[in-house]
Amino acid sequence: MEKKEVIVDSELEGMRLDRYLRKNFKDEPLSRIFGVIRTGDVKVNGKKSRENYRLLLNDKIIIKNLFQNNLEQFEKIKNKAKKFEISKNEFKKYQKMVVFENEDFFIVNKKEKIPMHKGTGHKYGLSEVFKEIYKSENINFANRLDFETSGLVIGCKNLKFLRYISQKIRDNEVYKKYFAIVHNKNKFKEKQNFN
């Protein structure tokens, strides 16, 4: 019987076992994923684990009966996927938007009329461009801004930092400040209503 072995690195550290499997075997029904965990076809460090087990650095995951069809499916999708086309000048424009960077994250000063993701009428957005800039599919943005809105967005270089900063945002430990520019001849009082 074929099996897949994975050693947990810092990208996966802290992730729940079931979430890891759901992320990597998207075509499998959730009931099947929970079934292979219960039957022991997925083991961590040679032992059966519960679905809510949090992965530790250097844990060894052994997976049976899930991966073959998914790997074939992944290869087909990967081969069909077309790279988006972007000019060198446009590429450099996006690179210049980075105002801060370290090994875990980068901050982008997004201009207005730039989408966060590809979609209707847009072949690419910040997400696709920065995955290409950093040559990594693990690039994710922790916050988003509307197409018409400019401002700072946090790009995460790894899943561990994405989980960390997302929790800080949920716990209101990241300070947000919004400005609106209006054109009006009438005088008005400044009003602040921030949480």
Side-chain angles (χ1 to χ4, degrees), residues 32-184:
R32 179 155 166 69
I33 287 173
F34 285 124
V36 294
I37 294 172
R38 276 193 305 275
T39 60
D41 282 339
V42 174
K43 293 183 179 178
V44 179
N45 300 324
K47 298 176 187 171
K48 272 174 70 171
S49 293
R50 298 183 61 84
E51 62 273 355
N52 63 352
Y53 173 76
R54 295 239 176 229
L55 300 173
L56 300 174
L57 193 62
N58 297 321
D59 273 351
K60 182 178 180 180
I61 308 169
I62 298 174
I63 305 161
K64 297 178 188 171
N65 296 325
L66 272 185
F67 68 97
Q68 190 58 46
N69 291 337
N70 285 286
L71 284 179
E72 290 169 6
Q73 203 65 6
F74 176 74
E75 286 303 319
K76 285 179 188 172
I77 291 166
K78 192 171 143 189
N79 292 335
K80 282 184 183 177
K82 292 181 180 175
K83 289 276 184 188
F84 62 91
E85 304 247 343
I86 183 169
S87 70
K88 285 185 181 179
N89 286 342
E90 189 80 359
F91 201 73
K92 285 179 183 176
K93 180 179 92 172
Y94 279 87
Q95 287 176 313
K96 287 180 182 176
M97 289 183 202
V98 176
V99 295
F100 175 83
E101 179 178 6
N102 69 18
E103 63 184 25
D104 291 317
F105 72 100
F106 56 98
I107 296 178
V108 175
N109 186 11
K110 183 184 105 56
K111 309 297 181 205
E112 70 267 358
K113 301 198 192 255
I114 291 179
M116 291 297 299
H117 300 279
K118 68 179 178 180
T120 309
H122 306 289
K123 293 180 182 174
Y124 54 85
L126 279 185
S127 179
E128 291 77 24
V129 173
F130 280 96
K131 282 179 181 180
E132 187 62 27
I133 287 172
Y134 289 105
K135 304 288 184 212
S136 171
E137 285 299 311
N138 285 331
I139 299 295
N140 291 285
F141 284 91
N143 62 318
R144 287 180 254 242
L145 293 174
D146 292 337
F147 177 69
E148 297 286 342
T149 307
S150 63
L152 301 177
V153 287
I154 304 167
C156 304
K157 293 182 179 180
N158 56 65
L159 298 174
K160 185 177 180 180
F161 187 80
L162 176 64
R163 287 191 297 273
Y164 167 79
I165 198 66
S166 295
Q167 187 62 50
K168 293 288 184 190
I169 291 169
R170 279 193 297 276
D171 293 342
N172 292 318
E173 294 179 39
V174 174
Y175 178 72
K176 299 177 189 177
K177 192 170 187 177
Y178 299 89
F179 296 95
I181 299 171
V182 295
H183 300 280
N184 192 338

